[in-house]
Amino acid sequence: MKEKNVIKNLIMVIAAVAAAIVPLCTLFKEGEYLYWQITKPSFWDMWVEIGIWGAVLIASFMFIKNKRVLLGVAGLLILAVSYLHSMLLPVLLATLWFLIICSFGSFLTGCSVTVITAGILSVFGACRPLSLMVTVGVAAVLFNVFKALTRRTRGNSNGARIGKENDCLKQDLAEVSDKKTSNDRRDCIFREFGNCSAELTGKERQLAVVTFIVVLLSILTQIARSNWSIDFDSLWYGLRSSYILSPNGSIFEDLKLVGVVYTYPKGFEIITLPLSGFASYAYIPVFNMMIFLLSLKETYRLAGHFTDRTGSLIACMITAVIPGIVGMTLTAKADIITWYLQLVILERFFSLTETEEGRTNKLFEIIAAYLLSLSMKPTSIVFSTVICFMMLVFVLVTRTRISGKPAFKYVAELILGAGAFAVVTLRTFLLTGLPFTSVFTGILTKLGFKLKYPYAVSSIPQNYQDESVLIVLIKRIIKMLIYPLGDDMDHVIIAWGTGIMLVLLVIIALGLLMGSLQSEENPSGSPRGVFPTGRTPAVRRADSQEFQSGEENPLRCQGEAFSMGQTSAVRRANVQETQSGEENPLRGPRGVFPTDRTLMVRRAVPAMFVFIPFVIVNLVSLSMLYQVDGNYFMLLYSVIIILGCAFMVRGRLSYAVIGVMTALAFFFMTLTNWASGVEFTPIEVNRGYYDYDAYYRGVLSAEDGRIYDFLEENPEARVMVFADHPDGLHFKCITESFNDCLSPWGNDEITRDSAAFYEYLKAAEFDYIYIDAGYVREWQVAAEILNGIRISEVMSEGENVLATF
């Protein structure tokens, strides 16, 4: 056993060295992508500030014992950083809106909430019926995690439920009233992110503190640089919802904006509609940060099906520093909430396979989360569908028994989720004639759907490489793991999984090939870390006795991963059950797999059912795309992280390697994001937010801003913009860029000549054309289109013109 551990550790170290050295020696060479980042003084100023935050947090945990004081320090640090970097108002209002959604979801699913919530909704401007419908649908799914923040919903690290749910806050108060030691009171901060069922051990407590600090530093980093990290896609459509989604109070108004992004599923944009239209663009990214924190909770719950608390905490810590995940919190894109819903789907599925209790409820949650994910992002049609389809196959093949009456709140959750999906899909259908757009339009038109004018059919993605698909795939896998450079990697380096993914994949491969090895620090010989054995109440009680007495639990399953061996006590109980016809209380739940197998196996098989097809679909996507987008693979990153933590051999060397790779991932996270903006907003006395209205008035104004002011006074005006994309879209009215109309986003038919384009302008009822002279000089196509259209100048500003046609 020790020899196998040595071999695994040696290979892991070699992989870690390669995963660290190759990127460091290539990405920072002079002239490469990250060279200019590390040579900027503002980057190192940023790291000085991060170091100060870390020192404050470490000192707080070293010298402050009261948990409430610790949380107060963390809260004050967040508020201080938010104010110093012009983010205080976005942090406060976006967090308030997030809590309102959670509270409203709690109300609709049977939990009491004050009537003030409805009043706040009205005042805040979310009472547009359609916006409210989608918001409520998401809120219903968010409810269970929101409740888990204050109530105990899980028993042990393996997902088994112990006893009845107890209110965590009440237990905390009871502990204080009993005058327990300060260390005991502090423990509950980290008890499984809200689970008060068991005390953390000394090492678990230390790891929980480290995880808490890493997560907080990650969030503070995003807050401090949010104002200077507004990305292309967010500026294009996600931040302009008040003008291009619902300018007149209805999301069904057909503005005939031909760019495909305007007909995407708009669930997330509808949810965050009350946060758009402000002078600052930072409100929606902060909302994404709140969803990210919920996702960490769901990551912990999902990891709990495959590993213990230590592994689950490590999974959360790694997830909190992956640039391809954390960087998406700085966007107004739907990637974070889609990823969260997919984590919910997976966690509820594995809960469903492990116990017969509440299976109908979990099934309703899975369906609701799936429908909502389809309402958020076009790629969900591929990635969410494949995992849900394989779940269905698993249930049918194994004849999993799902019976019982669902609780009202889960029925309400499903109804609201389905309603949200119906509204979002209906919008796309009424606008375009198709229920979904993006790469699926070609398939749908072949099925008989008719696409409306002026929208176009998109083709299936092609990689346009001269080499074979297999060679392209192999090269791209290598690039994504340790060398994200090249024309097809521009969207990977800004949403990268970093080299830690290679290390985790090696750990997973070694675990599968060589078997699960016992922990170096676990002398009892029981397998921990890979698909841990499910324990019934009797076994858990014996485990507890073992933990307290230091003796080995005779009821715990022995053997390596995927082993079907059972202890003599369990086998005797099985024989007694067979003879008596009664169910064995020492065995896991019936109805999934034959009862002579351990829960360890019953977790491995559903995991293979879902994860293997999911990985295959990701590989197909990776081989087909022309421009690989790293954010497409967020859920794949999570799966690799969780399984890697499950297969990891526990020991100081493993912890050291993972620690170093996590630190390196944090370093890359500070260097990259979707906007390539890394430095912090300058520290200064401010009004609590960064004024983007003033900034873009300067960008779009050649002289005194007359055109900008004129259009701001006419917010219902429709303007075709011939200017740099997407900066030219920031007039305070309904705008579309000429680039929107071109392939691959638009329709080549309406830009084939001046006559076709003029017909489109009339059909879409545009009022004005804005012409940036520099843009037209650079783009011959734009000049040729404009030369064939008679325009009448309304006003000019320098060389730029606002005209009618």
Side-chain angles (χ1 to χ4, degrees):
M1 188 67 72
K2 290 184 178 180
E3 292 179 355
K4 286 187 177 181
N5 279 349
V6 170
I7 295 174
K8 290 185 72 173
N9 285 332
L10 178 61
I11 296 175
M12 178 186 64
V13 170
I14 293 173
V17 170
I21 291 180
V22 173
L24 290 175
C25 293
T26 56
L27 299 178
F28 297 99
K29 291 170 59 178
E30 185 172 357
E32 292 296 348
Y33 176 77
L34 296 181
Y35 174 77
W36 68 277
Q37 301 278 35
I38 62 172
T39 56
K40 294 164 62 175
S42 57
F43 172 75
W44 298 108
D45 293 341
M46 174 183 69
W47 263 97
V48 169
E49 189 170 347
I50 293 174
I52 294 173
W53 301 341
V56 169
L57 291 173
I58 292 172
S60 298
F61 279 97
M62 289 178 62
F63 299 108
I64 299 176
K65 304 303 181 182
N66 188 290
K67 70 172 185 179
R68 289 172 176 77
V69 177
L70 284 172
L71 292 176
V73 170
L76 288 175
L77 183 60
I78 293 173
L79 292 177
V81 171
S82 299
Y83 173 74
L84 292 175
H85 295 285
S86 305
M87 282 289 293
L88 183 59
L89 196 59
V91 166
L92 293 178
L93 287 183
T95 303
L96 174 63
W97 179 233
F98 173 79
L99 293 176
I100 288 171
I101 290 177
C102 290
S103 299
F104 201 50
S106 300
F107 173 73
L108 291 176
T109 50
C111 285
S112 60
V113 69
T114 62
V115 182
I116 298 176
T117 300
I120 296 176
L121 284 169
S122 301
V123 173
F124 210 73
C127 281
R128 300 172 184 176
L130 298 173
S131 174
L132 192 60
M133 184 181 299
V134 179
T135 299
V136 167
V138 175
V141 174
L142 293 180
F143 160 70
N144 287 300
V145 177
F146 176 76
K147 183 182 70 173
L149 297 178
T150 55
R151 292 178 65 88
R152 190 186 77 185
T153 58
R154 298 180 67 80
N156 54 41
S157 61
N158 297 325
R161 295 179 180 271
I162 303 179
K164 298 181 179 179
E165 294 184 353
N166 293 318
D167 194 320
C168 180
L169 297 179
K170 291 180 179 179
Q171 182 168 332
D172 289 345
L173 294 174
E175 289 178 357
V176 174
S177 64
D178 291 340
K179 298 181 179 181
K180 292 190 175 182
T181 65
S182 56
N183 283 335
D184 290 339
R185 291 197 302 270
R186 186 175 62 173
D187 290 344
C188 196
I189 302 176
F190 313 108
R191 288 185 201 160
E192 303 189 24
F193 291 88
N195 176 18
C196 292
S197 62
E199 295 286 343
L200 294 172
T201 65
K203 292 184 178 180
E204 289 173 344
R205 187 184 302 116
Q206 294 172 3
L207 179 59
V209 170
V210 173
T211 302
F212 182 86
I213 292 175
V214 170
V215 171
L216 189 54
L217 288 178
S218 180
I219 290 295
L220 289 173
T221 301
Q222 311 318 314
I223 290 174
R225 64 179 179 176
S226 289
N227 290 320
W228 284 15
S229 299
I230 304 301
D231 63 278
F232 181 96
D233 290 343
S234 296
L235 290 173
W236 187 5
Y237 58 93
L239 296 171
R240 298 190 299 127
S241 296
S242 56
Y243 298 105
I244 62 171
L245 175 62
S246 182
N248 298 312
S250 171
I251 64 171
F252 291 110
E253 182 179 1
D254 189 1
L255 302 175
K256 291 186 170 58
L257 302 179
V258 71
V260 69
V261 297
Y262 303 120
T263 59
Y264 276 173
K266 291 295 183 179
F268 182 70
E269 286 85 344
I270 295 172
I271 295 168
T272 55
L273 187 57
L275 299 177
S276 66
F278 291 100
S280 173
Y281 283 154
Y283 295 90
I284 300 177
V286 173
F287 186 89
N288 257 331
M289 293 177 200
M290 299 296 104
I291 301 295
F292 171 71
L293 292 177
L294 281 185
S295 302
L296 289 181
K297 166 67 179 179
E298 209 60 40
T299 297
Y300 184 91
R301 290 166 60 94
L302 180 57
H305 293 283
F306 301 97
T307 184
D308 55 14
R309 278 186 299 204
T310 297
S312 298
L313 287 169
I314 293 174
C316 287
M317 181 176 63
I318 296 174
T319 302
V321 300
I322 298 300
I325 295 176
V326 185
M328 302 313 296
T329 62
L330 292 178
T331 72
K333 293 163 64 68
D335 295 81
I336 288 291
I337 195 168
T338 304
W339 169 62
Y340 163 71
L341 291 168
Q342 291 167 342
L343 291 174
V344 169
I345 293 170
L346 287 174
E347 197 283 326
R348 301 305 183 269
F349 169 69
F350 288 112
S351 295
L352 182 150
T353 62
E354 291 172 14
T355 176
E356 293 184 2
E357 179 185 357
R359 281 184 177 172
T360 307
N361 295 336
K362 296 181 180 71
L363 179 63
F364 276 45
E365 286 186 276
I366 290 171
I367 298 173
Y370 170 64
L371 293 175
L372 282 171
S373 72
L374 297 182
S375 307
M376 301 298 164
K377 191 174 176 65
T379 54
S380 298
I381 301 175
V382 175
F383 297 108
S384 296
T385 299
V386 68
I387 60 177
C388 287
F389 177 77
M390 294 312 300
M391 290 174 186
L392 176 62
V393 172
F394 174 84
V395 170
L396 294 176
V397 169
T398 60
R399 299 180 181 179
T400 302
R401 183 174 58 192
I402 299 177
S403 60
K405 184 179 180 180
F408 169 78
K409 61 185 180 183
Y410 299 104
V411 176
E413 187 174 324
L414 178 56
I415 293 174
L416 293 169
F421 169 73
V423 168
V424 172
T425 306
L426 180 62
R427 175 187 181 270
T428 303
F429 177 75
L430 293 177
L431 265 58
T432 67
L434 305 179
F436 303 102
T437 55
S438 190
V439 299
F440 311 103
T441 51
I443 299 174
L444 292 172
T445 53
K446 291 180 180 178
L447 294 176
F449 289 93
K450 293 184 179 180
L451 192 65
K452 294 181 180 179
Y453 177 87
Y455 306 101
V457 174
S458 300
S459 58
I460 300 296
Q462 301 292 329
N463 61 41
Y464 299 106
Q465 302 289 324
D466 295 332
E467 298 167 314
S468 68
V469 173
L470 180 59
I471 297 299
V472 171
L473 177 60
I474 293 174
K475 285 185 175 181
R476 286 182 170 180
I477 291 175
I478 295 174
K479 288 182 177 181
M480 286 194 68
L481 292 176
I482 58 175
Y483 187 76
L485 293 176
D487 294 339
D488 57 352
M489 291 286 118
D490 289 345
H491 290 180
V492 171
I493 184 59
I494 60 178
W496 190 28
T498 74
I500 198 171
M501 294 298 159
L502 174 61
V503 177
L504 294 171
L505 284 172
V506 169
I507 291 173
I508 295 170
L510 292 173
L512 292 174
L513 293 174
M514 302 174 66
S516 171
L517 303 182
Q518 58 186 343
S519 170
E520 294 176 3
E521 300 175 355
N522 176 22
S524 66
S526 62
R528 295 180 183 176
V530 182
F531 303 110
T533 309
R535 297 189 289 271
T536 61
V539 180
R540 287 196 299 270
R541 286 193 295 271
D543 282 345
S544 177
Q545 295 170 2
E546 172 197 353
F547 178 81
Q548 296 174 0
S549 65
E551 297 177 0
E552 183 176 353
N553 171 17
L555 301 182
R556 181 185 295 154
C557 178
Q558 306 294 318
E560 297 187 355
F562 309 105
S563 169
M564 300 180 192
Q566 297 172 317
T567 62
S568 57
V570 177
R571 285 195 297 270
R572 286 195 300 271
N574 288 336
V575 173
Q576 293 172 2
E577 173 190 350
T578 302
Q579 295 173 350
S580 65
E582 298 177 356
E583 184 174 354
N584 174 13
L586 303 182
R587 186 190 300 143
R590 288 177 168 182
V592 182
F593 283 98
T595 53
D596 59 341
R597 301 190 181 188
T598 66
L599 188 56
M600 184 186 301
V601 179
R602 289 199 293 274
R603 283 178 181 171
V605 177
M608 290 187 291
F609 252 86
V610 175
F611 290 153
I612 291 177
F614 173 71
V615 171
I616 292 173
V617 168
N618 278 270
L619 293 177
V620 171
S621 174
L622 184 62
S623 67
M624 291 178 62
L625 294 171
Y626 168 68
Q627 175 64 65
V628 181
D629 285 356
N631 56 308
Y632 284 2
F633 305 99
M634 292 170 62
L635 185 61
L636 180 62
Y637 295 154
S638 291
V639 171
I640 293 173
I641 291 169
I642 290 171
L643 294 184
C645 291
F647 280 101
M648 184 174 62
V649 176
R650 301 301 169 79
R652 293 177 181 176
L653 181 60
S654 298
Y655 294 148
V657 169
I658 293 299
V660 171
M661 296 306 300
T662 300
L664 188 61
F666 187 94
F667 178 69
F668 279 112
M669 182 267 290
T670 63
L671 277 167
T672 61
N673 56 58
W674 202 249
S676 300
V678 297
E679 63 268 26
F680 290 165
T681 308
I683 296 177
E684 58 185 5
V685 177
N686 59 81
R687 65 186 72 182
Y689 67 91
Y690 186 84
D691 192 345
Y692 269 93
D693 282 353
Y695 172 78
Y696 278 104
R697 186 179 187 276
V699 170
L700 296 171
S701 302
E703 293 179 354
D704 55 5
R706 285 182 297 152
I707 296 178
Y708 189 93
D709 294 341
F710 173 78
L711 293 176
E712 187 176 17
E713 294 172 359
N714 298 274
E716 295 184 4
R718 302 190 182 194
V719 184
M720 174 59 65
V721 178
F722 285 80
D724 289 335
H725 184 78
D727 289 348
L729 299 174
H730 289 282
F731 293 112
K732 309 289 282 186
C733 60
I734 303 169
T735 57
E736 182 174 34
S737 168
F738 178 69
N739 287 39
D740 281 327
C741 305
L742 298 171
S743 179
W745 304 316
N747 184 355
D748 287 336
E749 288 299 313
I750 67 174
T751 57
R752 69 176 185 272
D753 54 39
S754 297
F757 194 70
Y758 178 79
E759 180 184 353
Y760 168 64
L761 293 177
K762 284 297 185 181
E765 300 179 351
F766 280 94
D767 300 306
Y768 304 101
I769 296 177
Y770 174 79
I771 304 170
D772 183 301
Y775 172 85
V776 174
R777 280 195 294 267
E778 291 182 6
W779 288 89
Q780 184 178 357
V781 175
E784 292 174 354
I785 291 290
L786 284 173
N787 287 336
I789 299 176
R790 176 183 291 183
I791 61 174
S792 299
E793 180 179 314
V794 174
M795 63 177 65
S796 62
E797 190 177 2
E799 291 187 297
N800 302 337
V801 175
L802 182 69
T804 58
F805 52 93

